[in-house]
Amino acid sequence: MKAPTSRGLIVFLCDIGFAAFAWYAAFALRFNFAIPPEFWRSMALSLPWIVLVQAAVFYFFGLYQGIWRFASLPDLQRLVRAIGAVAVLGPVVVWLLQGKGIVPRSVYVLDPILLLMLMGGGRFAYRAWREHREFGSLLAKGKPVFILGAGEAAASLLRELGRSGQWRVVGLLDDNARKHDRTLYGLRVLGAIRDLERFARELKVSYAIIAMPNASHEVRREAANACVRAGVKPMTVPSFDDLISGKVAVASVREVEVEDLLGRDPVKIDAPRLRQLIEGQMVMVTGAGGSIGSELCRQIARFSPSAIVAFERSEFFLYTLVEEFAELFPHVRIEPVIGDVREEDRLLAAMQRFRPVVVFHAAAYKHVPLMEGVNAAEAIRNNVGGTLAAARAAQASSVPRFVLVSTDKAVNPVNVMGATKRLAEMGCQALAARGGDTLFSTVRFGNVLGSAGSVIPKFQEQIARGGPVTVTHPDIIRYFMSIPEAAQLVLQAALMGEGGEIFVLDMGEPVRIADLARDMIRLSGASESEVKIEFTGLRPGEKLYEELLASDETTRPTHHPKVRIARARAIDDALWLGRLERWLTGPLPAEPAAVRAELAQWVPEYVPQGDGPAPSPAPSDEVRSGTGT
């Protein structure tokens, strides 16, 4: 048994005092506080023995390893078990040492009851005193704040905020009506979260902390939206996964960001099978310095590969990734390889040197307007030619799995970027049809939150400058997914691939970009009168909506609820791939319109929209399902 600390020793001595007093009080109660002389002698003779037995039992049951200020139900249970043992052993020891009839039997009953009251009461009185001292400060100093949620996370948050002094908690709000008008650590549950605006106005509170880390995302998002509508600055506690992993404490509150409004419930992936695939193996990622590529590297690192081969054209991005891994993942070896995915010899040399078990091909040009004009030919060479070069190198090196990261813009594409990604998908399908040791699969998803060049960083910069926030069209909608979620589902699809599939990820509900801009303005603390929204018109190659090809008619389910397989048109022409490779190696037209026209010959569902924006009708359910692919 571990020796008690100095504070534990003080508690131990207090318990010995309680034991002695309880033994005396049991005699006093037995004789109505008029103990006869013969029993005074009996009490004095038995006292050392009973205290010695009780002290040994208390120590054996580990009553001095806990912390008084956090005394809780498990501590009480341990105390009850110890006193139960005392109630049995005490009489036996006294009877063996002093004989029968010396101690009244009722004393043996009263003593453990009194002992429980003294020891348990002492512990919880100390905790109540500490909490009164801490939680009293919640009512006296700091910025006034509401706590949204009245569960375990809120209780933990209140305990920790009491020690910080940064916040003055005014009250709690919770949608569970049974909690209304009840108290948590002396603070009242005022009402429902939907009434936040009224309470904020009445009590003049400008901040709220959302303390519901294990609630569904819809519940947390609605709480954040309630804060935005009420003009209250929303804060949130860390995610439930971060809390249980020990990365952060409940009190590590942060501002609510737009990702909290758009994000979704955590993804569940087949971690045991992924570990079997990756642990101790080489894994290669092309475009490893980009948003998706770097996150893939981080997610792969969780499964202890022997090394991650990071293939990247940008020296700076590659250096940044290596430095990040040295700090955050020192146990994972990174093999940085500088190279262009269009250089098949460089890819082949890297794959034959490191022998990866899976290659994730995330290198691509992805910015739609930039690829629509004079850069159209470069988009074809990089997105199609680079994919085929990487895929052929993987096939020549007998890499077991090759995964192409694609996009929702490949569904019925109206822009060069989407058409090149669709053609890259078709190239991988054709290589899969040839056979060989490599299993080819494609993963298709929409916009990722916070990726380079995406709308959210752009809006943040515009809001910081005071506006205006530029939105192309009032009705434009997009699907969003967090970068970690996208990377995890790419890993899951890689595990499920059997050759030639196009996996479609569930992107959830679409988001109206104009509403996103308004939420971001309000989250910044400004109003739309201060930071205005301007509609600039659709850009070249831009749709009002993106199609995911995720309906029951056009996909079939997998065992994972967020991954489906597209029923895409098969590439069954044995000569098609050879003609495509000859086209890619030959000269492309100089004029963007001619490049788009040639690209349309390879991708029948691609209809070039010229140099103007793509006209988009209001999306019906049939159109959204992508039935044209």
Side-chain angles (χ1 to χ4, degrees), residues 421-483:
K421 294 299 283 186
R422 175 58 187 139
L423 188 53
E425 293 177 356
M426 295 162 67
C428 286
Q429 288 178 295
L431 281 171
R434 278 186 176 180
D437 298 328
T438 303
L439 295 178
F440 291 95
S441 55
T442 296
V443 184
R444 188 187 280 171
F445 55 86
N447 300 278
V448 289
L449 296 169
S451 64
S454 68
V455 67
I456 290 175
K458 176 184 174 183
F459 283 177
Q460 288 171 334
E461 292 174 5
Q462 291 175 334
I463 292 169
R465 293 196 305 265
V469 176
T470 56
V471 179
T472 58
H473 193 284
D475 297 323
I476 192 167
I477 60 174
R478 288 292 180 266
Y479 295 88
F480 285 95
M481 177 181 284
S482 71
I483 295 177

Side-chain angles (χ1 to χ4, degrees), residues 408 410-414 444 477 479 543-551 553-554 615-629:
D408 58 351
V411 183
N412 297 329
V414 298
R444 188 187 280 171
I477 60 174
Y479 295 88
K543 291 181 180 181
L544 277 180
Y545 59 92
E546 298 295 351
E547 305 160 65
L548 285 175
L549 189 64
S551 70
E553 293 82 8
T554 54
S616 298
S620 66
D621 290 339
E622 181 179 4
V623 172
R624 282 187 185 179
S625 73
T627 52
T629 297

